[in-house]
Amino acid sequence: MKTIIIEDEPKSMQVLATLIKKNCPELSVIGMAKNVKEGVEMIKKLQPGLVFLDITMPDGSGFDLLEQVGDSRFEIIF
């Protein structure tokens, strides 16, 4: 399943990507974004099936991001 990670802390993002690669071979991390703006653009462009989403980021919250992507169809893990 195509997966995107949206996380503003680089270390947390990398740890999560490593854990996914090691433990979830059915998931393919196709993109990583560090803020709401990048996350929205990436979701619209790449159409992931699963998004790992940070709640608090410098330019808004994970909930702000969800409002901006509207009716995109993907699973979310906060």
Side-chain angles (χ1 to χ4, degrees):
M1 178 183 297
K2 296 189 305 183
T3 304
I4 291 176
I5 299 171
I6 304 171
E7 167 64 62
D8 65 320
E9 295 187 27
K11 184 167 178 118
S12 295
M13 183 187 296
Q14 193 55 51
V15 167
L16 181 55
T18 300
L19 289 171
I20 291 169
K21 184 176 182 178
K22 181 178 179 181
N23 298 299
C24 304
E26 70 280 8
L27 300 180
S28 174
V29 178
I30 59 170
M32 295 190 281
K34 64 179 183 263
N35 57 45
V36 171
K37 182 177 185 276
E38 286 181 10
V40 168
E41 292 169 1
M42 197 170 287
I43 289 169
K44 289 180 178 181
K45 180 180 177 185
L46 301 177
Q47 299 292 306
L50 177 65
V51 175
F52 287 87
L53 179 57
D54 192 2
I55 294 290
T56 306
M57 293 175 274
D59 65 336
S61 72
F63 299 109
D64 296 331
L65 179 142
L66 293 175
E67 288 179 7
Q68 292 180 44
V69 296
D71 62 353
S72 294
R73 307 233 185 268
F74 52 82
E75 293 182 51
I76 306 161
I77 298 177
F78 286 103

